[in-house]
Amino acid sequence: MAKGLLFASFDYSPAQEDEFNDWYDLEHVPERMRVPGFLNAQRWVGDENPKIDVATYDLETHAVMTSPAYQAIGGANGSVWTKRVTAIAKRILRFEGAQIVPGDVSGPAEANALLAVAMNVDPAVEAEYNEWYNTEHLPQLGAVPGVLTARRFLSSGPDIERKYLALYHMTSLDASRSDAWSKAANTPWTAKMRPHFRDLLALRCKKYVRKG
């Protein structure tokens, strides 16, 4: 059961595409998948900008991120290759945290598309924001045809850029452009909450397929 998440996204336009993908596929992902508690790794590319790269890792718990096995390869202990590539690529968002809804669901391997929505929220309305997200917004979007899973995460990392992240795995991005999605995403309660969003980031991605 997946109760934690590591999410990383880059704009790798300044880097060489072949090297960036070789680093990710041949070193970075295998290195992490050898860490106990890493359950899967999925890569995605931006729908409109193919130089946007997203990686999602489901974790048994967020505590995996503080384990000796991960600490041995993460942060300052990253490889020379990791440090060189990540210094060239532009980081968009790194997020680590705990799954809050549904609580223990993994990203489906059969998904062909991903929508990631991250944000902070005005603290004055945070309680209502979470009630809205958990009881209306996420369930309604999760019920749209073509949506395979809808999950929410709360940041638990040392450097919190955005407190909340929602991930929607889909059969294709057409699900997020459908009339059913529009109806589910535009309710009176949603309209009330939107002015309180802060630092909103939405990434629409297709499944990464390695060339060659």
Side-chain angles (χ1 to χ4, degrees):
M1 294 188 297
K3 297 182 179 180
L5 179 81
L6 172 60
F7 174 100
S9 54
F10 291 95
D11 177 346
Y12 68 91
S13 300
Q16 294 295 319
E17 182 174 1
D18 289 347
E19 184 187 16
F20 183 85
N21 286 319
D22 282 350
W23 161 71
Y24 237 126
D25 295 340
L26 305 180
E27 180 187 90
H28 200 65
V29 167
E31 199 175 48
R32 273 136 190 81
M33 290 307 299
R34 289 192 290 268
V35 174
F38 272 72
L39 302 178
N40 61 36
Q42 295 177 301
R43 287 189 61 200
W44 312 88
V45 295
D47 180 48
E48 295 182 357
N49 181 357
K51 294 300 181 74
I52 298 296
D53 184 273
V54 171
T56 56
Y57 305 87
D58 282 319
L59 312 173
E60 287 182 356
T61 71
H62 176 256
V64 172
M65 300 301 296
T66 57
S67 68
Y70 180 76
Q71 293 295 311
I73 62 168
N77 293 321
S79 72
V80 172
W81 202 5
T82 292
K83 290 175 181 176
R84 183 162 63 83
V85 172
T86 56
I88 298 170
K90 179 183 177 182
R91 188 172 83 176
I92 298 172
L93 174 67
R94 186 183 187 280
F95 178 102
E96 56 181 83
Q99 186 178 160
I100 51 178
V101 180
D104 58 2
V105 173
S106 296
E110 67 271 23
N112 293 310
L114 178 77
L115 170 61
V117 181
M119 70 181 81
N120 293 311
V121 64
D122 182 351
V125 300
E126 194 162 4
E128 183 181 2
Y129 166 85
N130 281 307
E131 182 183 3
W132 159 74
Y133 225 126
N134 294 343
T135 65
E136 180 188 273
H137 196 61
L138 198 78
Q140 288 189 178
L141 293 181
V144 170
V147 178
L148 301 175
T149 59
R151 302 179 294 164
R152 283 192 76 206
F153 300 86
L154 174 65
S155 179
S156 303
D159 300 310
I160 297 177
E161 301 171 45
R162 289 170 176 83
K163 188 173 181 179
Y164 296 102
L165 172 69
L167 295 181
Y168 305 90
H169 285 72
M170 309 176 196
T171 54
S172 81
L173 284 171
D174 290 344
S176 66
R177 301 183 178 113
S178 65
D179 290 341
W181 180 278
S182 180
K183 181 179 179 180
N186 294 287
T187 68
W189 202 0
T190 301
K192 180 184 177 184
M193 289 293 101
R194 279 195 178 120
H196 303 287
F197 297 172
R198 303 289 184 267
D199 310 308
L200 178 64
L201 173 69
L203 298 172
R204 290 173 173 82
C205 304
K206 298 177 290 189
K207 188 174 185 177
Y208 164 80
V209 178
R210 183 172 174 82
K211 297 176 182 179

